[in-house]
Amino acid sequence: MQLFTTYLLSSLLLALFFVVAASGSEPDKGSSANCKSPSFQKAVAFEKAHDHRQAVETLNELLKRSPDNIEARTLRKKLYVDVVSRDRQSSVTNGTIGNPREQIFIDPKQAAVLAVEDLELLVKVTPSERLLWHELSYLKLPMNEEEHVAMCTRALNAGADPVVFLTERAGHFEKLGKTKEAFNDYGKAIEKAAPTYRKQYAYEQRANAFIRQKDFNAALADYDAACKKAGNQGYDLSIGRAFCLEMLGHHNEALSICNRLLKADAPYRFTILMIRRHVFEQLGKVDLANQDRAEMKHACNKHDLSLDIQFPADWFRKDP
């Protein structure tokens, strides 16, 4: 009896040992399990502590055991991309690279190659994630326009956001002088966009393209359509409409929009003042045009480059 009891106790202790051992092992399968993996949590801790070298080394070991761990691969990709970004940023900031604790722990060129390898796997799993495609393009820079078109086409074929990548591809087609292909893509983007701000975005991008082609009637029609689809009229849409109206000779309508924007203290003040200055000149109101010219000198040294509208080069005056 005592022998049986000893045997039973030994069996229970042995079973308990395996349970504890199993609970402490790496749960490598399943998305939710991956997030709870001790190794993954350790890598996250290293990343938060800005010890990117240790974070990557921990992730490398985890991915050897579990190559399908999407969370681990995504985090490792992020760390590699950070290296490339900081290196490229340093070239335009005299070597200043953000937080000094964030080490460039690997050669940036090698980091770019390794990040691309991770991204190539990730886009197969989540091809609709547009950020992944943009990161892939970023890492492969410099690319010529044909390569950009090919990347957009690849993203579209994989099921990525059609509105985003059709409009992007259209822009690259424009730069290649392929106007027919460009406007074909803009039209497809409008067709595929849901009737929300995405429809507004698609119309606005085509309107901007029409301005580049100096087709101001078509541009104005698209700006009007964008306003209807959006249910509101953003500052950039209003500026585009005012510009088209001014170019088409509808000076009073253009002036009304400019006055409203300036009263609302809208951004892009320099550009709005320039449009209104053109309007005053066309209306023969030289004194008011000169007032806007003087105010432009205080508003900004040049027109706001963040505005997505590319005005014809011959439209700008040499002064102020």
Side-chain angles (χ1 to χ4, degrees):
M1 181 65 179
Q2 185 177 1
L3 182 61
F4 176 79
T5 303
T6 303
Y7 172 77
L8 182 60
L9 182 59
S10 300
S11 300
L12 289 173
L13 288 172
L14 186 62
L16 182 60
F17 169 81
F18 284 119
V19 170
V20 171
S23 65
S25 64
E26 292 288 348
D28 287 337
K29 296 182 179 180
S31 178
S32 60
N34 287 336
C35 290
K36 297 176 182 178
S37 162
S39 290
F40 181 75
Q41 294 301 324
K42 185 187 295 184
V44 170
F46 280 133
E47 191 263 343
K48 289 181 178 178
H50 306 282
D51 192 345
H52 293 179
R53 183 189 301 275
Q54 286 294 328
V56 166
E57 289 178 358
T58 304
L59 292 168
N60 287 343
E61 291 299 318
L62 176 56
L63 286 166
K64 285 180 182 178
R65 298 191 301 272
S66 180
D68 295 331
N69 188 320
I70 300 304
E71 290 79 9
R73 194 170 296 280
T74 299
L75 179 56
R76 188 174 69 175
K77 175 268 302 178
K78 174 184 178 296
L79 295 171
Y80 286 146
V81 172
D82 284 347
V83 169
V84 178
S85 298
R86 289 198 300 276
D87 177 65
R88 292 180 181 178
Q89 184 184 14
S90 69
S91 65
V92 293
T93 58
N94 298 320
T96 302
I97 312 174
N99 191 323
R101 292 181 298 170
E102 293 180 346
Q103 308 165 5
I104 293 187
F105 59 92
I106 186 174
D107 178 73
K109 291 182 179 179
Q110 184 183 0
V113 171
L114 294 171
V116 167
E117 290 178 0
D118 280 343
L119 280 163
E120 291 288 2
L121 290 170
L122 290 170
V123 294
K124 291 179 181 179
V125 178
T126 53
S128 63
E129 183 56 60
R130 69 180 183 183
L131 178 61
L132 298 177
W133 293 103
H134 286 153
E135 286 181 327
L136 202 53
S137 297
Y138 171 74
L139 291 168
K140 292 187 175 183
L141 290 176
M143 292 197 300
N144 58 37
E145 297 305 326
E146 287 88 352
E147 289 171 327
H148 278 295
V149 167
M151 181 65 76
C152 290
T153 301
R154 183 183 165 199
L156 288 165
N157 290 339
D161 189 327
V163 178
V164 170
F165 288 98
L166 280 168
T167 52
E168 282 191 17
R169 190 172 68 176
H172 296 300
F173 274 137
E174 277 190 84
K175 293 177 182 178
L176 288 168
K178 298 183 177 181
T179 307
K180 181 178 179 180
E181 291 87 344
F183 281 94
N184 184 45
D185 273 359
Y186 284 126
K188 288 181 180 178
I190 291 171
E191 290 175 4
K192 292 179 179 294
T196 59
Y197 72 94
R198 294 175 62 74
K199 184 77 78 174
Q200 170 199 333
Y201 172 81
Y203 271 118
E204 183 179 3
Q205 294 306 304
R206 191 173 69 175
N208 295 342
F210 277 130
I211 283 183
R212 291 190 287 271
Q213 297 296 318
K214 298 186 178 182
D215 189 343
F216 303 115
N217 278 305
L220 181 61
D222 272 357
Y223 282 129
D224 288 340
C227 293
K228 290 180 181 178
K229 296 298 179 183
N232 60 59
Q233 191 168 325
Y235 292 131
D236 49 350
L237 297 178
S238 296
I239 291 171
R241 293 190 70 251
F243 173 74
C244 291
L245 288 166
E246 193 269 327
M247 296 301 290
L248 292 169
H250 302 299
H251 303 307
N252 288 327
E253 290 181 67
L255 179 61
S256 176
I257 294 173
C258 290
N259 288 340
R260 175 171 57 81
L261 291 172
L262 291 169
K263 186 177 180 180
D265 196 24
Y268 316 118
R269 187 173 184 84
F270 183 93
T271 303
I272 299 167
L273 285 168
M274 180 171 277
I275 295 173
R276 192 172 72 170
R277 171 191 160 194
H278 277 254
V279 172
F280 283 143
E281 288 174 347
Q282 295 299 318
L283 293 174
K285 298 181 179 181
V286 179
D287 291 342
L288 292 175
N290 288 336
Q291 288 179 22
D292 278 355
R293 180 185 290 109
E295 187 177 348
M296 286 166 65
K297 294 179 180 180
H298 300 288
C300 186
N301 292 326
K302 57 185 177 179
H303 72 284
D304 195 329
L305 294 176
S306 66
L307 188 63
D308 200 25
I309 303 170
Q310 296 175 14
F311 300 103
D314 58 1
W315 179 74
F316 290 100
R317 302 288 189 264
K318 291 184 179 179
D319 59 311

